Structure formats: structure tokens, C-alpha cells
Amino acid sequence: VLRQEFHPVLRGPQFSSGGGLDVTENMEVLQEDHTTPITGLFAAGTDCLGMVQTVYYGGEYLSWAFGSGKIAGESAALYVAQ
């Protein structure tokens, strides 16, 4: 029988923009008019998360980082291949 020890995780200060950049569904960063993409510029993670009412650092942000990173990477690869 394996014995596992569990220890509390103490959180220190964490910083995030929690939004800031508007993006398309392909993670292209939009210009100040919020409709025109900036050619060749993609964003992912909390820099383009949008407004959140509560700040949760954990699964919500990690899943957004992984998902938006995949989309941004694929979109950037298609852009470079053109």
C-alpha cells in the first residue's frame, strides 16, 4: 500500500492582465476599432481573456491558455504558410 503525503499549496502574488486585447475567433488581435484584424499578430492566454468578474488563477485560466494557444498557433502557422 502506497502512502501519500499531501501538503497545502501557498499562493503568492500572481499577476495577469485578465484581458486587454480583443481577438477574432482565430486569435487575431483586433485594431482599436474592434473589428479590423492586425495582419500577422495573434494573442493567446490571459492577454485576450476578456473581462472576468472574479479572479480565479487555476483551471479556468490554464484551460483558456491551452485552448487559445492551440488556436493561435494553428492560425499563425496557416498565416506563415500563405
Side-chain angles (χ1 to χ4, degrees):
V1 175
L2 295 175
R3 179 186 161 111
Q4 295 181 342
E5 292 185 28
F6 298 94
H7 302 279
V9 176
L10 302 176
R11 286 190 354 177
Q14 300 178 16
F15 302 96
S16 170
S17 65
L21 299 174
D22 288 334
V23 293
T24 68
E25 65 274 2
N26 296 320
M27 298 298 150
E28 300 168 287
V29 177
L30 296 175
Q31 295 182 22
E32 289 183 23
D33 65 7
H34 304 286
T35 57
T36 308
I38 299 172
T39 304
L41 183 61
F42 302 88
T46 58
D47 290 333
C48 61
L49 180 62
M51 296 300 293
V52 290
Q53 292 189 12
T54 55
V55 179
Y56 296 111
Y57 294 96
E60 176 185 354
Y61 281 15
L62 286 175
S63 61
W64 175 250
F66 295 147
S68 63
K70 180 181 185 298
I71 296 168
E74 291 171 347
S75 298
L78 289 172
Y79 173 76
V80 172
Q82 291 180 1

